[in-house]
């Protein structure tokens, strides 16, 4: 259960009803809109541009002033020197702003001097006392609004406007309740009427944030309380609408500081706005809406810096079925989870009531509650600052049960944040929670507690604060509020890697536009150089790579906290890189690769990789066999649909296919090998192809896919590399290639004479016997008619027994291999929620 929309109070009296035909338009300008003199001018221009004759303008303090005032009081009390300098700076900032706007000798300057002199006295008194004094601190906190309202009102007057300044302390009476300030509407309305009788001006500038208690002491409405002030005065003045002006294009779908892709929302219902505000969307104060809901007043949130933008309209709910069920997400940080556990609670009525009664008595406000239906535990979320008090209160309430062991434990854990997904459209729509939980699961965020309000307008999830940014972004993308973002790192930008980067670069704009998929290549590393960046690695890495590769640093960068999904693409042919996959997968990083070392490496390591990929992160390796051809996925589909593999036979090396398709004895075999190497058809070391190892690896990968535990050593391999060349360096080997030529020429001549062709064939039979080597095939054999680098794989299965299933096509070359890797990358993207 979560806290539902704030209850609306009785409608405040309509004092200015006499002017109903010409109702006030109410505005509030936040501190960010009043940072300096040019901001004040901008605000004046905005008000000037309003159509109606009556404008009521509530102001915050100049940006940062409230924080500065609170710090001044704290520092004075703690006798931290330096506060006098800070005070001087604050005074100078206000005086300079006033002088720039109103002139050197404007009355406001003398007035400001007097105000600051009084503040200095107050701070001196606090410094002497040396202890916090609530009343003095409350009075000090609100002074920024007093000053800014004077500057703005005088500016309007200087521009010839009939404008009065209303110091809210003269009118607004409040009490302090558990949920914050409570307006005494009767007293405030009477005061307003009396004040208005003396001030008939059509424009009013009103101090936000400040008020007085019923005992006539200066106080404030709570941090960010100017929004509330604006709503209160809009109600008192019977305004027809309220606009809250800030520095964003309205209410965004999430806090832009946590989710840079957040989008402005065109409209929100009051209930949605209440939920978002309550759960931390700082753009609107939770209490703001109580007076305006009571009157059905339309509210707009707009950007002072972009007044041409329509902003967000808040009002009665509008139904728009085409939109995402979730409108926005918010997060409250700085919370703690309190749990009460024990079998003794099961079936005992009143346990929850006692726990919450104890919290209430201790003055602890509960942000969220969840209880399992087993009644074995109750868990609730409180503010971190209240956590110790909350734990103590609950322990005291259950001291007897704890002693008897009926309650096993009461504990608190700090460092919790609550993420809330909000939207009227969630009600009655199945699958919303699943989408949200799925998104968090896929980015490896653990959920501590869950609550959904009966209104179904809000699902709240408690997570560790360390995870909150990632969780917000993943959820934001899951509801298509922002593109699905993948943080991509690529190791080994050789021929395949480079082709892949070019393909990604070319496809990126389309994927973003048509599929809301944002592939960010954020790291590229060769064995000697690496580049770490933000998004454009596919285009930019090689110009700005630096010497020295540190794979750990690369992985850490790619697996960034703030991006929900990380993928490492290994385009190296390196066994040492493959040795890291299991750790990467276990850490939640997806791995995509054409590198065969993992799939064909030691069985125990391969098993660890499979196990690590079983829970969460994906491991995809389609391009390890047949480059871009759907070989592994075809086999998987056969097996997953219940077929049984009886045999595999094929030409699995594009290189060897090409060599033997081309070889007719007219050109030396070694010359063809050189050509294939230059075309990128061979592995970096062509011996991997010619020795048969590469083909054997592919056969092992297929065999393992089919469930056998085949090891590379189990494959009978016929190597084409003469023993004398097996141990030399790759360069030496390339130089001495012609040592091949005689043996191959002789074998070819013999085969040819028999009416056959030579092909390098891989075979796996139903007993698990695996072999790769040269076969002499009749000229009409299916394998004898391949073109160029074509691969062919025949799957003989229970279903495809008489006529095997054949996959055939180009099976080598950087472009097609890269395309196979790219397709895997897109499958990973789809698995984390991209709409492909
Ligand atoms: P003001 O001084 O105008 O009252 P605040 O600093 O109180 O401004 O709050 C506005 C800030 O709240 C924005 O600049 C933005 O960074 C932050 N914010 C948090 N959540 C949201 C949201 N959902 N939509 C817009 N802004 C938000
Ligand atoms: N100036 C006050 C604050 O910073 C009130 C407000 O700006 O809404 O909390
Ligand atoms: Mg604010």
């Amino acid at each position: 259960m979560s806290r539902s929309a704030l209850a609306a109070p009785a409608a405040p009296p309509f004092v200015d009803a006499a002017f109903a035909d010409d109702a006030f338009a109410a505005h509030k300008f936040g501190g960010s809109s009043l940072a300096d003199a040019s901001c004040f001018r901008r605000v004046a221009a905005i008000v000037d541009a309003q159509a109606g004759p009556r404008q009521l303008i509530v102001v915050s303090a100049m940006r940062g002033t409230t924080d500065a005032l609170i710090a001044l009081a704290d520092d004075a009390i703690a006798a931290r020197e330096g506060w006098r300098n800070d005070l001087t700076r604050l005074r100078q900032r206000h005086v300079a702003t006033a002088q720039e706007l109103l002139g050197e000798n404007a009355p406001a300057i003398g007035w400001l001097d007097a105000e600051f002199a009084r503040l200095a006295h107050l701070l001196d008194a606090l410094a002497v006392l040396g202890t916090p004094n609530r009343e003095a601190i409350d009075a000090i906190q609100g002074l920024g609004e007093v000053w800014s309202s004077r500057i703005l009102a005088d500016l309007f007057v200087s521009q010839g406007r009939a404008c009065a300044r209303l110091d809210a302390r003269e009118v607004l009476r409040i009490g302090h309740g558990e949920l914050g300030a409570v307006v005494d509407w009767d007293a405030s309305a009477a005061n307003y009427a009396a004040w208005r009788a003396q001030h008939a001006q059509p424009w009013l500038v009103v101090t936000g944030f400040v008020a007085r208690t019923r005992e006539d002491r200066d106080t404030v409405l709570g941090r960010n309380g100017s929004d509330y002030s604006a709503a209160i005065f809009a109600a008192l003045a019977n305004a027809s609408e309220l606009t809250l002006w800030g520095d964003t294009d309205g209410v965004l779908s999430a806090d832009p500081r946590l989710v840079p892709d957040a989008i402005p929302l065109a409209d929100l219902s009051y209930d949605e706005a209440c939920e978002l505000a309550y759960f931390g969307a700082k753009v609107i104060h939770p209490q703001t809406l109580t007076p305006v809901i009571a009157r059905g007043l339309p509210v707009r949130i707009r950007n002072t810096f972009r007044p041409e933008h329509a902003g967000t309209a808040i009002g009665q709910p509008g139904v728009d079925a085409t939109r995402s069920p979730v409108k926005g997400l918010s997060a409250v940080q700085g919370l703690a989870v309190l749990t009460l556990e024990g079998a003794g609670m099961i079936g005992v009525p009143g346990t929850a009531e006692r726990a919450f009664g104890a919290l209430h008595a201790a003055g602890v406000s509960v942000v969220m509650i969840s209880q399992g239906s087993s009644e074995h535990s109750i868990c609730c979320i409180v503010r971190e600052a209240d956590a110790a008090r909350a734990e103590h209160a609950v322990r005291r309430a259950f001291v007897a049960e704890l002693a008897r062991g009926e309650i096993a434990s009461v504990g608190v854990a700090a460092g919790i944040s609550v993420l809330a997904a909000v939207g009227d459209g969630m009600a009655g729509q199945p699958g919303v929670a699943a989408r949200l939980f799925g998104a968090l699961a896929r980015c490896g965020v653990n959920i501590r507690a869950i609550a959904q309000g009966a209104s179904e307008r809000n699902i709240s999830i408690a997570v560790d604060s360390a995870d909150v940014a990632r969780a917000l972004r993943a959820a934001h993308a899951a509801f298509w509020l922002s593109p699905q973002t993948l943080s991509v790192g690529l190791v080994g930008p050789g021929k395949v890697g480079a082709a892949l980067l070019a393909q990604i670069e070319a496809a990126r704009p389309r994927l973003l536009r048509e599929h809301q998929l944002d592939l960010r290549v954020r790291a590229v590393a060769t064995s000697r150089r690496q580049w770490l960046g933000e998004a454009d690695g596919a285009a930019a890495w090689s110009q700005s790579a630096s010497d020295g590769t540190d794979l750990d640093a690369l992985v850490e960068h790619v697996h960034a906290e703030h991006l929900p999904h990380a993928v490492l693409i290994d385009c190296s042919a390196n066994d040492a890189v493959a040795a890291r996959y299991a750790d990467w997968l276990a850490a939640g990083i997806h791995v995509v690769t054409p590198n065969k070392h993992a799939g064909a490496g030691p069985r125990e390591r391969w098993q660890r990789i499979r196990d690590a990929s079983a829970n969460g992160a994906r491991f995809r390796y389609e391009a390890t066999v047949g480059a871009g051809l759907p070989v592994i996925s075809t086999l998987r589909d056969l097996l997953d649909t219940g077929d049984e593999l009886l045999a595999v036979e094929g030409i699995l090396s594009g290189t060897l296919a090409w060599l033997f398709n081309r070889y007719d004895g007219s050109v030396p075999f070694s010359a063809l090998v050189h050509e294939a190497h230059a075309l990128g058809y061979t592995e970096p070391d062509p011996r991997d192809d010619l020795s048969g190892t590469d083909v054997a690896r592919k056969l092992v990968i297929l065999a393992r896919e089919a469930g056998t535990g085949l090891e590379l050593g189990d494959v009978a391999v016929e190597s084409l590399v003469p023993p004398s060349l097996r141990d030399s360096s790759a360069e030496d080997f390339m130089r001495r290639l012609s040592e091949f030529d005689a043996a191959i020429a002789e074998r070819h001549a013999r085969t040819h004479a028999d009416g056959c062709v030579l092909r390098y064939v891989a075979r796996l039979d139903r007993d698990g016997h695996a072999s790769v080597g040269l076969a002499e095939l009749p000229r009409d054999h299916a394998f004898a008619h391949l073109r160029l680098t074509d691969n062919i794989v025949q799957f003989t299965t229970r279903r495809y027994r008489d006529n095997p299933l054949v996959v055939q096509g180009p099976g080598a070359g950087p472009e097609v291999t890269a395309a196979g890797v790219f397709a895997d990358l897109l499958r990973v993207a789809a698995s984390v929620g991209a709409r492909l």
Side-chain angles (χ1 to χ4, degrees), residues 28 30-31 60-61 66-67 141 145 209 222-227:
K28 172 253 169 177
S60 288
T66 312
D67 288 338
Q141 273 191 62
E145 274 71 6
F209 194 35
R223 287 314 302 268
N224 286 299
S226 297
D227 292 350

Side-chain angles (χ1 to χ4, degrees), residues 78 118 126 308 314 363 442 460 489 543 588 624 664 718 758 831:
R118 255 185 343 112
L126 280 179
E308 68 281 5
I314 303 176
R442 285 189 297 268
S460 309
Q543 293 89 318
T624 53
D664 57 6
E718 179 188 357
L758 271 184
S831 77

Side-chain angles (χ1 to χ4, degrees), residues 285-474:
H285 188 275
Q287 281 162 321
T288 312
L289 292 151
T290 48
V292 297
I293 294 172
R295 315 195 58 224
L297 207 62
V299 180
R300 269 191 182 280
I301 315 282
R302 297 183 63 184
N303 192 345
T304 310
F305 303 91
R306 298 214 312 147
E308 68 281 5
H309 194 285
T312 302
I314 303 176
Q316 304 302 344
V319 182
D320 181 353
T322 60
R323 265 197 282 169
S324 166
V326 169
K327 276 273 188 69
L329 297 155
S330 60
V332 196
Q333 308 192 40
L335 303 174
V337 51
L338 170 83
T339 42
L340 178 66
E341 271 179 343
M345 287 159 44
I346 298 173
V348 179
T351 312
E353 191 191 337
R354 278 171 62 201
F356 295 116
L359 292 174
H360 181 201
V364 173
S365 129
V366 176
V367 176
M368 174 179 140
I369 303 168
S370 84
Q371 177 177 18
S373 62
S374 74
E375 300 184 41
H376 178 263
S377 74
I378 297 175
C379 136
C380 68
I381 308 288
V382 299
R383 300 197 186 283
E384 224 160 43
D386 296 340
R389 207 149 34 93
E391 183 181 4
H392 183 69
V394 173
R395 276 186 185 283
R396 255 217 337 243
F398 290 96
V399 72
E401 286 84 350
L402 278 162
R404 289 198 298 269
E406 289 161 14
I407 300 238
S409 69
V410 174
V412 289
I416 298 291
S417 293
V418 168
L419 178 158
V422 171
D424 289 339
M426 283 160 55
Q429 180 154 336
V432 177
R435 187 139 41 119
L436 185 57
F437 301 154
L440 300 199
R442 285 189 297 268
C443 71
V445 171
N446 181 36
I447 296 177
R448 304 287 293 252
I450 300 166
Q452 173 168 7
S455 70
E456 294 188 46
R457 189 177 294 120
N458 171 336
I459 299 176
S460 309
I461 297 180
V463 300
D464 287 340
S465 292
D467 291 337
V468 72
R470 201 149 42 94
L472 264 180
R473 284 167 203 222

Side-chain angles (χ1 to χ4, degrees), residues 510-511 515 517 823 825-831 833-836:
R510 187 180 48 78
L511 289 171
H515 301 286
L517 172 62
L825 177 62
L826 295 181
R827 283 197 193 95
V828 169
S831 77
R835 285 184 291 181
L836 284 157

Side-chain angles (χ1 to χ4, degrees), residues 28-35 39 42-43 46 60 63-64 224 227 243-252 254-257 262 264 281-284 300-307 309 311-312:
K28 172 253 169 177
F29 290 92
S32 50
S33 305
L34 296 167
C39 284
R42 187 175 297 116
V43 167
I46 287 174
S60 288
R63 184 168 68 200
N224 286 299
D227 292 350
T243 307
L244 304 174
W245 296 87
D247 61 354
T248 57
D249 288 339
V251 180
L252 305 183
D255 186 335
R257 291 161 300 188
K282 201 185 160 208
V283 69
I284 184 166
R300 269 191 182 280
I301 315 282
R302 297 183 63 184
N303 192 345
T304 310
F305 303 91
R306 298 214 312 147
H309 194 285
T312 302

